[in-house]
Amino acid sequence: MAIDVNAVPKVTLNNGEKVPCIGLGTFGSDRFSANEVSEAVEGAIKAGYRMLDCAACYGNEAEIGLVIKKVIDEGVCERKDLYVMTKVWNDMHREVEKSALKSIADLQCEYIDLLYIHWPFPNYHAPHCDVTSRNPDSKPFSVAEFMDTYRQIEALVKKGIVRHIGISNMTIPKLEQVIDKFEIKPVACEIELHPCMQQQELFDYLVAHDIQPVGYMPMGSPMRPERDMEEGDIADLQLPEMKKIAEAHGVHPAIIALKWAIQRGQIPIPFSLHNYVSNLECTLSDPLTDAEMETIKTLEKNNRLVKGQVFLWPGAGDWHDLWDEDGVIVDCPDAQ
């Protein structure tokens, strides 16, 4: 069943561009093949999705590109109707144009609507690696290196290869080091956001600087890779408060998580093999009450699921060092 694309609420970015209030994630959580993900993308586009969140490191852009070409050839939509987001992976921070052109070729999308710096440091790890994997060449965040990568994307905007710039997995201390250095302001910042990881301070910082929060793992990602699972992790959708609100609305708790995200003001980017219709449909009706929004606000538990252990550099402590939890960038060589 297709949903009226024009009925899906829009979010206005800081440059005036209007984009859908929900996107389709394409990270298969290491559990689904590239073909399974691309089949979901085809179904989602035909159902009415127009925002796609891709990434070179997901290993499925070529398959998704075949779908993009197919739906355009079939007249389902035009290229201008799609908002295609992708990301520069950690091993391409010094070769951003090469990365962008490869993604454009693979996705068969002519240009990139929004290009993110996937992680704010060039610490490569191989896909599907174990949580204990470490790259001996990894380094802590560097203001100069980050801005070099960012300047390369700004150059691509000027060339018309990329339309908008995004940042991802940032913290307030890192943002404070670069926020006044952008020539072209980022339109969005993609971070982990779900009821048990609301990151209110960072969320408010982004909103105050007119940078759109985009939330990955909006349902708490029960199907995330095993390397990101630890004892003590909280399952958002299993919380009694989420179940009670879901029961009141006659839906699955996953739908409540999405409604909360959209009403709060972030753009969620859920991935689903089969439930994309209900995920998109939930944007159109039956909003959460103010009381329900307040209840979910109390569920913040700082329950970070993507901890990033594989990005740690020699000499770092543990994954907490990646997230500047004490308000200081750990081991940053050029922080002011």
Side-chain angles (χ1 to χ4, degrees), residues 81-93:
D81 301 322
L82 296 175
Y83 195 80
V84 180
M85 309 188 293
T86 189
K87 309 176 186 77
V88 179
W89 187 230
N90 300 358
D91 58 342
M92 298 300 287
H93 280 206

Side-chain angles (χ1 to χ4, degrees), residues 228-247:
D228 288 324
M229 294 184 176
E230 284 191 359
E231 188 176 351
D233 287 348
I234 300 163
D236 301 51
L237 305 185
Q238 297 301 316
L239 293 177
E241 294 91 342
M242 293 294 288
K243 289 183 174 182
K244 183 178 180 181
I245 295 172
E247 185 178 346

Side-chain angles (χ1 to χ4, degrees), residues 3 5 8 20 22-25 40-52 76-77 81-83 219 258 268-272 275-283:
I3 292 167
V5 173
V8 176
I22 188 171
L24 183 77
V41 171
E42 181 176 357
I45 292 174
K46 289 180 175 178
Y49 271 89
R50 291 297 179 263
M51 174 183 280
L52 305 177
V76 175
C77 62
D81 301 322
L82 296 175
Y83 195 80
M219 303 167 184
L258 293 180
I269 45 172
F271 168 73
S272 176
N275 297 323
Y276 38 79
V277 173
S278 58
N279 290 349
L280 184 61
E281 196 173 36
C282 86
T283 68

